[in-house]
Amino acid sequence: MIEISDSLRSLFSAQIEERDGSYVIDIPTSEIEHDTLAADETYRIALLASGSSTGQKAQQEQPQSAAQEPTPTSDGPPVDEGEVRDVMVETTGDQGDGIAKVERGYVVIVPGGQPGDELTVEIEQVQENVAFASIAEHDSRAL
């Protein structure tokens, strides 16, 4: 299991593409819309290999010039352990887990969730910037 830092601001999957002699990762629009990331800011990123070709997980930190540490919120996580919530899974992570977001772009990882699923989940573990939940109930209206 990968240890996730409390300073994690965002979690998503993307491919690295070459464009005009540089390598680029596209940031999902939802990261900006949910105020998780801001345009014209510099962030430190971590890359995890998908395991599809090498079978090993490698983590690299890619410092950029003028990198800024994320500013932690004084409010803390918007969820509590044991809390039951309704969420919508937005995407799937590299390990196949559903990824939902709640207030302030806070990430909730839901094993078994698929994009578009509207689920009732129980929050099992809370960290500063990510929570892990289990499915309590599927919404029969979800596609």
Side-chain angles (χ1 to χ4, degrees):
M1 187 161 146
I2 298 172
E3 185 174 325
I4 299 175
S5 169
D6 286 340
S7 64
L8 177 71
R9 299 243 345 185
S10 178
L11 178 65
F12 59 88
S13 297
Q15 291 198 357
I16 298 174
E17 297 177 13
E18 184 176 2
R19 293 186 196 156
D20 301 324
S22 294
Y23 294 93
V24 177
I25 298 173
D26 287 327
I27 306 296
T29 304
S30 61
E31 299 299 316
I32 305 297
E33 291 171 349
H34 291 112
D35 294 326
T36 305
L37 303 174
D40 300 323
E41 292 289 331
T42 302
Y43 296 92
R44 197 174 286 172
I45 64 168
L47 303 173
L48 304 174
S50 66
S52 60
S53 60
T54 62
Q56 60 177 266
K57 294 183 184 193
Q59 184 170 354
Q60 299 176 1
E61 186 168 273
Q62 179 67 42
Q64 297 178 1
S65 59
Q68 298 175 355
E69 289 296 322
T71 305
T73 61
S74 59
D75 299 341
V79 298
D80 294 312
E81 289 181 9
E83 181 178 350
V84 176
R85 285 207 140 200
D86 292 326
V87 299
M88 184 169 84
V89 176
E90 295 180 16
T91 188
T92 304
D94 287 340
Q95 303 299 314
D97 295 330
I99 298 174
K101 291 186 182 171
V102 294
E103 295 86 39
R104 303 186 316 263
Y106 186 83
V107 174
V108 178
I109 297 176
V110 185
Q114 296 297 312
D117 285 352
E118 294 180 16
L119 305 170
T120 299
V121 299
E122 181 175 350
I123 306 298
E124 295 181 337
Q125 181 184 6
V126 176
Q127 295 181 8
E128 187 64 32
N129 292 307
V130 64
F132 298 88
S134 61
I135 298 172
E137 180 180 317
H138 278 276
D139 186 333
S140 61
R141 295 172 293 169
L143 298 176

